[in-house]
Amino acid sequence: MLFGKRPSDDDTVVAMLAAALRRDIAFGHLHPDQKLKIEALRQRYGGSNHSMRETLRVLAAEGLVEATSQRGFRVMSATEQDLDDILFLRLEIERLGLSRSMAEATVAWEGAVMAAFHAQRHADKVVQGSLDDADALEWDEVCRVTSLTLVQGSRSPRLMDLAGKLFNQSRRFRLAQLREGQIDFAARDARHKALCDAILAKDTALALELHEETVRSDLGRIRR
């Protein structure tokens, strides 16, 4: 019989460091294309050379950090082309996941969708007008859960993993929209209610249309 290994202290340190670096990449404290030097990062975040290198490998696998040809690391770029590419892939993957989830819908999944949108409505209210980074991160985490809930009914772990990675890669752009006051929360709430209703009514075409509008709006890429 095959057993997994117990999490080590090293694994815990790497997880903590990765969370801190993700946060600072998301808020731009670590700038796009910025070189990430192990020693400087250790002084700023702690950890050993080994744990920091492992952390950067984790973030590279998530698409937030890039390993350079000189065996170093840098923060991934954040150009309009990067955003459009992430958006393209998110829409393709999440459309597939939502379609399959609706085709195989269970009462449990529909209940999870309703709960996710309820939590999202509360988080949206809290974050409006707040300048607190903690509120912004909590809001973004609720957004992530909502997004993944819509595709979890697909019962495809690989699709879920890819959807999660792409959502994380879009975080910088979404938080920039939030901080710049570019999110219309009233329209967002109405769209979420309509999306939830379409899912429960099993109107796949409408649900996919509303989902695409939601993703595009959150990233400032509404079609004109």
Side-chain angles (χ1 to χ4, degrees):
M1 184 178 289
L2 221 54
F3 296 94
K5 67 172 185 174
R6 291 176 58 187
S8 67
D9 289 343
D10 235 18
D11 295 331
T12 302
V13 170
V14 168
M16 292 175 63
L17 291 172
L21 266 70
R22 281 192 204 97
R23 177 197 64 217
D24 285 354
I25 290 171
F27 284 114
H29 302 316
L30 293 173
H31 306 294
D33 296 313
Q34 179 177 335
K35 291 183 179 178
L36 299 171
K37 298 181 179 178
I38 301 292
E39 184 56 33
L41 292 174
R42 282 187 61 234
Q43 292 178 13
R44 182 169 177 175
Y45 298 99
S48 64
N49 282 346
H50 172 73
S51 61
M52 185 55 72
R53 189 169 292 278
E54 286 302 307
T55 297
L56 293 175
R57 286 174 179 156
V58 167
L59 296 180
E62 295 176 3
L64 300 178
V65 163
E66 181 179 24
T68 67
S69 56
Q70 292 79 25
R71 301 178 65 83
F73 296 89
R74 68 179 180 89
V75 178
M76 285 293 289
S77 59
T79 64
E80 287 199 15
Q81 290 77 14
D82 291 320
L83 172 56
D84 287 338
D85 192 39
I86 293 168
L87 175 62
F88 164 70
L89 286 172
R90 271 197 64 185
L91 290 175
E92 290 297 312
I93 293 298
E94 293 179 30
R95 182 182 294 115
L96 175 61
L98 180 55
S99 296
R100 185 168 176 180
S101 295
M102 292 186 67
E104 302 182 12
T106 63
V107 172
W109 176 69
E110 291 177 347
V113 168
M114 293 172 67
F117 279 122
H118 178 74
Q120 186 69 72
R121 191 169 301 117
H122 174 73
D124 285 358
K125 289 179 181 177
V126 170
V127 83
Q128 291 181 62
S130 173
L131 299 177
D132 192 327
D133 284 357
D135 286 339
L137 282 177
E138 185 172 343
W139 172 79
D140 189 75
E141 173 61 16
V142 174
C143 293
R144 186 186 71 83
V145 172
T146 300
S147 178
L148 294 184
T149 298
L150 293 178
V151 301
Q152 74 179 11
S154 67
R155 288 178 259 179
S156 170
R158 290 172 179 81
L159 185 148
M160 289 281 292
D161 180 64
L162 184 53
K165 287 178 179 177
L166 290 168
F167 186 91
N168 288 342
Q169 289 174 31
S170 69
R171 176 172 287 122
R172 290 181 287 181
F173 304 100
R174 186 170 46 260
L175 288 175
Q177 288 287 108
L178 175 68
R179 298 181 102 182
E180 293 168 10
Q182 297 299 312
I183 296 178
D184 183 340
F185 281 100
R188 191 171 191 269
D189 183 56
R191 196 159 41 236
H192 282 171
K193 288 178 181 176
L195 174 53
C196 188
D197 288 345
I199 289 172
L200 297 178
K202 305 188 186 307
D203 188 338
T204 301
L206 179 58
L208 293 177
E209 179 183 335
L210 290 166
H211 172 264
E212 178 170 346
E213 287 179 12
T214 295
V215 176
R216 286 183 174 279
S217 178
D218 284 354
L219 297 178
R221 279 296 191 263
I222 288 288
R223 282 177 171 163
R224 303 297 178 187

